[in-house]
């Protein structure tokens, strides 16, 4: 019996599954130069490498998710740099403006619409606390200014404004007039405290901190120069801690004072020179705030005020050069004020009668 052998079938090895798209093919630009897409390896020179399958790159995150991560990163940077300044927040806002939702406004501190911080605003707020003082004595009449510090009529002024006075009249900014009596004086500091008779409900000034005053700060002066009640001038602090020497009017030199022109201002010394007349043998020196705010005779005892409406000094001396005919000229921007911290340190003693 003859065996018949069945013909052997050809063997076909299993094929890999077909990719969802055709493999990327190299691009030939010129003989010898082949570009392989998708960041594949460059074949060695002269060799032929068949096309290979490159797995597709992961799908990119949705744009809105990437934007959120970017905003979060920038916000973290802004928080970390907050101590450096406000510029970081602006930078973050600019960088994220394209991706962040549109906002209806910009957050931050709004500029106040009030007049605080302006000369007009300061004048309106403080003028009711500044008074005109008229002091009568056997040697004549003097006019100065004062600052109300309590609602029941305590008023601070310069000692030289009321020294030796037999009677004192005080006119408020609203025109109402009161009689006043001396509570205490301190000739060494050229300060005095008087009290209105029968007054109540007055607007008291706010006493600031003269240690915070800096050269260049804007200031306002309010007083009654030449009897012009409630006159407002402004300027800057031009120097600090000036040694100013003034006549220590303790009531013993009243006759000698009559040689001064009352319109020329209280005599004082500064930098080794005398201004507005002879200060005499009885004098005192204090550290003063110098200002170029216009001060004239009658401003003595009035207020030097910062732009927050706080009293930082009591105006006490100014230089007014005399003209050739002997009459006084106006302010030349050389005025001095007793720092308010000097007043605050002396206030209890003044209330107890002072050092007179």
């Amino acid at each position: 019996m003859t065996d018949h052998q069945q013909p052997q079938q050809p063997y076909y090895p299993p094929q890999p599954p077909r990719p969802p798209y055709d493999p990327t093919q190299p691009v030939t630009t010129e003989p010898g130069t082949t570009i392989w897409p998708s960041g594949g390896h460059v074949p060695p020179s002269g060799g032929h490498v068949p096309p290979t399958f490159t797995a597709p790159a992961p799908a990119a995150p949705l744009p809105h998710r990437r934007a959120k991560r970017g905003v979060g990163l920038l916000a973290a940077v802004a928080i970390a740099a907050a101590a450096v300044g406000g510029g970081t927040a602006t930078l973050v806002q600019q960088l994220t403006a394209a991706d962040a939702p549109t906002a209806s406004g910009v957050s931050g501190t709004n500029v106040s619409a009030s007049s605080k911080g302006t000369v007009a605003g300061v004048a309106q707020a403080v003028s009711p606390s500044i008074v005109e003082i008229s002091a009568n004595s056997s040697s004549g009449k003097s006019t100065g200014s004062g600052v109300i510090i309590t609602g029941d009529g305590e008023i601070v002024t310069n000692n030289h404004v009321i020294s030796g006075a037999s009677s004192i009249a005080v006119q408020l900014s609203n025109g109402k007039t009161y009689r006043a009596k001396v509570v205490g004086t301190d000739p060494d500091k050229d300060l005095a405290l008087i009290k209105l008779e029968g007054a109540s409900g007055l607007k008291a000034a706010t006493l600031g901190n003269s240690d915070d005053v800096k050269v260049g700060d804007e200031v306002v002066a309010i007083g009654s120069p030449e009897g012009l009640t409630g006159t407002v001038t402004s300027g800057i602090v031009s120097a600090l801690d000036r040694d100013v020497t003034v006549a220590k009017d303790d009531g013993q030199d009243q006759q000698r004072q009559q040689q001064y022109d009352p319109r020329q201002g209280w005599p004082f010394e500064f930098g080794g020179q005398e201004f507005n007349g002879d200060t005499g043998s009885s004098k005192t020196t204090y550290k003063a705030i110098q200002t170029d705010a216009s001060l004239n005779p009658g401003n003595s005892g009035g207020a030097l005020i910062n732009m927050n409406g706080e009293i930082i000094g009591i105006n006490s001396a100014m230089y007014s050069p005399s003209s050739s005919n002997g009459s006084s000229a106006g302010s030349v921007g050389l005025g001095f004020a007793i720092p308010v911290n000097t007043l605050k340190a002396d206030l209890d003693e003044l209330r107890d009668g002072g050092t007179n």
Side-chain angles (χ1 to χ4, degrees), residues 83-349:
V84 177
T88 304
T90 303
L91 175 63
V92 171
Q93 186 181 40
Q94 292 174 347
L95 292 176
T96 60
D99 296 327
T102 302
S104 59
V106 179
S107 60
T109 303
N110 293 327
V111 177
S112 174
S114 71
S115 57
K116 181 179 180 180
T118 66
V119 174
V122 171
Q124 182 179 15
V126 184
S127 288
S129 302
I130 310 302
V131 302
E132 178 182 313
I133 299 174
S134 298
N136 293 297
S137 68
S138 58
S139 57
K141 178 180 179 180
S142 64
T143 301
S145 305
V147 180
I148 301 172
I149 62 171
T150 64
D152 61 352
E154 282 190 339
I155 295 174
V156 173
T157 186
N158 286 139
N159 178 62
H160 72 255
V161 171
I162 54 85
S163 181
S166 57
S167 66
I168 301 173
V170 175
Q171 180 177 318
L172 305 185
S173 61
N174 60 9
K176 190 172 183 178
T177 302
Y178 289 87
R179 293 180 63 86
K181 62 179 181 179
V182 176
V183 176
T185 62
D186 189 344
D188 288 332
K189 297 181 177 68
D190 197 16
L191 290 171
L193 181 68
I194 63 176
K195 177 75 179 293
L196 302 186
E197 298 178 353
S200 63
L202 305 183
K203 183 174 182 180
T206 300
L207 303 183
N209 184 357
S210 52
D211 288 344
D212 292 338
V213 176
K214 297 179 179 61
V215 173
D217 285 351
E218 292 182 87
V219 290
V220 174
I222 305 179
S224 300
E226 306 291 354
L228 301 174
T229 306
T231 296
V232 177
T233 58
S234 66
I236 63 168
V237 173
S238 49
L240 296 171
D241 297 325
R242 293 295 201 196
D243 286 325
V244 175
T245 300
V246 297
K248 184 178 175 181
D249 179 15
D250 54 8
Q252 299 176 359
D253 296 328
Q254 290 295 317
Q255 296 301 319
R256 182 183 58 81
Q257 293 172 24
Q258 294 309 299
Q259 63 183 300
Y260 307 123
D261 182 348
R263 297 175 302 166
Q264 191 165 320
W266 190 248
F268 71 96
E269 297 176 8
F270 169 69
Q273 300 182 56
E274 291 184 347
F275 301 94
N276 306 342
D278 180 17
T279 56
S281 58
S282 180
K283 60 188 69 175
T284 184
T285 301
Y286 56 81
K287 298 287 186 180
I289 299 171
Q290 182 179 318
T291 178
D292 69 349
S294 179
L295 301 180
N296 290 284
N299 272 115
S300 290
L304 189 67
I305 313 156
N306 65 19
M307 301 310 288
N308 292 322
E310 300 167 333
I311 310 300
I312 58 170
I314 302 299
N315 298 322
S316 59
M318 45 75 60
Y319 170 50
S320 180
S322 297
S323 62
S324 58
N325 61 9
S327 63
S328 62
S331 171
V332 294
L334 186 62
F336 301 96
I338 301 167
V340 73
N341 285 6
T342 300
L343 165 64
K344 291 194 292 185
D346 201 32
L347 198 51
D348 288 341
E349 189 169 7

